[in-house]
Structures are given as C-alpha cells and as structure tokens.
Amino acid sequence: MPGSSAIEEMMNEIQPDAETGKRTYLSLKEQRLHDWSTIRDDMYEAFISTEAPSTVSCHECNKEAQLFKCIDCTPWEMVCEDCLYRRHQYPHLHMFEAWRNEAFVGAVLKTPSWILSSHSDCDSNYFKSIVIIDVKGRQHKRNIQFCKCEPEAVTLVKYRLWPSTTKFPKLAFDMELLKWLYGLLIECHVSCKGFCEALKFRSSKYQRNYVNFQVLDIYKSLMTETFAEFRNFFQRTEFPDKLDNGTGCPACFSETFKRNTSVALEIKYLTFGEMKSLYIQNVICRTGCNPLAHCEKS
C-alpha cells in the first residue's frame, strides 16, 4: 500500500502508555499535542518573518526599488512595481501591499479595464465603473466595458459577475461568492445575514482597512431578489432543460413511465409480424418515410 511505510514509521514514534504499554487514545492525543507544541513557535516565527522584506531588492529582477506584494497570488514574494504590473496585466480582483515606513500598507495601483472582444468592434460600446464584491467579500472598483446593444446585466453575466439589479447596476457579485453562499445555505442552513457577517473573517483585520467600502451593507443588496434569482440561474446551469434535475424520485412511477410500461407489456405478447407492422407505422407517423421499403422491394 502506498505510504504504508510512512504510517508505520509514524506509529513507531508514538510512545506507548506507561501503565498498560499500549497506545491508547489518550496517549495518541497527547503525542499529537506534543508534536504541535514543539513546532508551534517555529511556525509563528516563520509567518512573522515573511511580514517584512529580507532585502531591498526585487525578488524577480533584483532591482533596488520600493517593494510590493500581492495578497492573493504570491504573498511571500516582494517585487518592484514594474514586476507587479507585469504579473497583473490582465483583469483581476487582487489586492496589493506596499512597504512604507517599516510596514506593509494597502496600495491602490492602476488595474486594466475589463473588455469583451465581442463589444470592442461595436460603435456603441462604453465604459462604466462597477463595484465588484469578490469571493472574499472585498469590494473593488473596476472599469468595465459595456455595449448599448444589450442590457448591462446581461453583459455582467458574460464577465461571470452577477448584477445587483436588472437595470443600470452599479454593484455586481463574483459568481463564485454566490455559489459558496448557495452551498452553505443548502448544506449548513446558514442565513444570508450570517454569511455576510462571516465574510469579515475572510481577510485579516489589518487588511480590512485597505478596502474603500463603496457599499456599506451588501446584505440589503442580496435581499432585493438578487440572490433568489441567482439560485434559479445556478440551478438551470447545473441542470439544463430536458435533463434530469435530480429532484424526481426514482421509486415513484411517473405518468410517462407508466404509459411506456403498459405499451411495452402489450408489445411483449405481439407476434413478430405485428411488431414489425407497429414499428413501421410508428416511424412513418414520426418521419413520413418507410424504413423497410427497400427491404420489401428486394
């Protein structure tokens, strides 16, 4: 078995109980707690050591300059502004920190506009600032391209964003955030209000000051039929039309199943000639052609 030697080695390191000489649940638990306690301080020191740059040079180009880091993709690397721009030259919802006055503080850098190739060739395209709530509940203001040929809410869906309203939305939610809310609602019975409050813990209390809260209460925006409509949308994308949506009981006979079953039982007692005639009539009724005409001619 793969990894069995590692498991055996780990079990051998666990000391047996002093009285019984056996590895009891208590001794195993105490051993695990002891293992964590021996490495606890080292893990803390390792985390703190990455909260300050170890050098004044960029980790990528080795140029001495002001250092930045991205909280979302590589929080352990400090790079210069040019390298940071090169890494984030596409639309994103990342947040940055800059090393200033012996501490990392929030940094607002220019981000690329969100552009659809289908709208770039249209003469009626325009740009509009939209506040986006990302999967961590943080707010970002982004410049997004729209087109007068279709409603703004429809365009936002193409960006995988869910609009807060159907007409002239100023706020949009990352669909991954609403999927997470949907899953917690179904499986854990988490309320929408509780979910919005819990989002505060997705980011450090120091990083919450980096966000300029354009929307003070996203709960109110979700409760204006926004999330209810997304649930319907998500259900349709997961279970397209004419496919089983998983809500039917396999033990219950539907009317269609009963009808097909009764027809099948009747066909069971037909002769071969009668079945052949019934088949031809059925095909002719649906398609207008006789599938066995060439056989009869031959």
Side-chain angles (χ1 to χ4, degrees):
M1 179 184 297
S4 59
S5 58
I7 296 176
E8 293 176 357
E9 182 179 353
M10 180 186 68
M11 294 300 295
N12 292 332
E13 292 178 355
I14 299 177
Q15 300 298 326
D17 184 70
E19 297 181 358
T20 62
K22 297 181 180 180
R23 297 185 179 92
T24 62
Y25 171 79
L26 179 60
S27 63
L28 293 175
K29 187 175 183 65
E30 289 178 346
Q31 183 66 39
R32 288 193 294 266
L33 291 174
H34 174 72
D35 293 340
W36 280 111
S37 63
T38 56
I39 199 174
R40 183 180 299 146
D41 293 336
D42 294 337
M43 296 172 65
Y44 176 77
E45 293 296 333
F47 178 82
I48 295 300
S49 65
T50 60
E51 291 299 298
S54 58
T55 177
V56 295
S57 301
C58 173
H59 289 184
E60 186 168 333
C61 65
N62 295 324
K63 180 177 65 175
E64 291 189 5
Q66 184 181 15
L67 297 180
F68 297 82
K69 70 175 181 178
C70 177
I71 300 174
D72 295 284
C73 56
T74 53
W76 60 88
E77 280 194 343
M78 289 72 170
V79 296
C80 64
E81 188 173 358
D82 294 336
C83 293
L84 188 69
Y85 272 128
R86 185 166 56 253
R87 291 184 177 186
H88 298 82
Q89 56 183 322
Y90 301 104
H92 59 82
L93 294 175
H94 291 190
M95 298 190 69
F96 311 119
E97 290 181 331
W99 180 255
R100 297 193 186 105
N101 300 325
E102 302 299 321
F104 274 110
V105 295
V108 179
L109 302 179
K110 184 179 179 180
T111 57
S113 300
W114 294 36
I115 298 175
L116 279 175
S117 57
S118 58
H119 289 172
S120 299
D121 299 332
C122 183
D123 297 333
S124 62
N125 70 76
Y126 61 95
F127 287 89
K128 176 182 175 181
S129 294
I130 298 290
V131 177
I132 302 175
I133 311 296
D134 68 6
V135 71
K136 294 183 179 180
R138 303 172 305 187
Q139 300 184 19
H140 308 261
K141 200 169 186 178
R142 293 293 184 263
N143 199 34
I144 297 182
Q145 184 187 53
F146 293 95
C147 178
K148 294 182 180 179
C149 300
E150 65 181 7
E152 293 179 351
V154 176
T155 303
L156 287 174
V157 172
K158 294 181 179 179
Y159 289 111
R160 298 302 184 265
L161 301 174
W162 190 254
S164 60
T165 181
T166 58
K167 297 180 180 179
F168 311 111
K170 297 181 180 179
L171 174 69
F173 297 89
D174 189 333
M175 286 190 180
E176 295 302 318
L177 174 69
L178 299 185
K179 289 179 184 178
W180 181 230
L181 171 57
Y182 178 76
L184 291 176
L185 177 66
I186 297 299
E187 298 296 335
C188 307
H189 306 288
V190 175
S191 67
C192 187
K193 179 66 174 178
F195 177 80
C196 294
E197 292 297 323
L199 281 176
K200 298 176 182 178
F201 295 93
R202 290 297 307 272
S203 301
S204 169
K205 66 177 182 179
Y206 306 107
Q207 298 173 359
R208 295 174 199 167
N209 298 325
Y210 301 166
V211 180
N212 181 16
F213 291 96
Q214 305 287 335
V215 181
L216 298 179
D217 192 358
I218 64 174
Y219 170 72
K220 293 181 179 179
S221 300
L222 288 174
M223 286 295 96
T224 54
E225 308 304 326
T226 303
F227 179 60
E229 187 60 32
F230 175 80
R231 292 179 61 182
N232 176 62
F233 169 83
F234 180 65
Q235 191 72 10
R236 292 181 63 184
T237 57
E238 290 292 298
F239 304 102
D241 296 338
K242 299 181 181 180
L243 292 181
D244 180 17
N245 61 4
T247 60
C249 177
C252 298
F253 292 138
S254 63
E255 292 299 325
T256 304
F257 183 82
K258 291 179 181 178
R259 184 169 59 254
N260 294 340
T261 303
S262 61
V263 172
L265 291 175
E266 293 177 1
I267 293 177
K268 181 178 180 180
Y269 298 101
L270 295 178
T271 64
F272 176 77
E274 292 173 335
M275 292 179 63
K276 177 181 176 182
S277 176
L278 181 63
Y279 167 74
I280 295 174
Q281 293 176 8
N282 185 32
V283 174
I284 293 176
C285 179
R286 289 187 291 107
T287 63
C289 63
N290 188 345
L292 301 181
H294 65 284
C295 298
E296 294 176 354
K297 291 180 181 179
S298 59

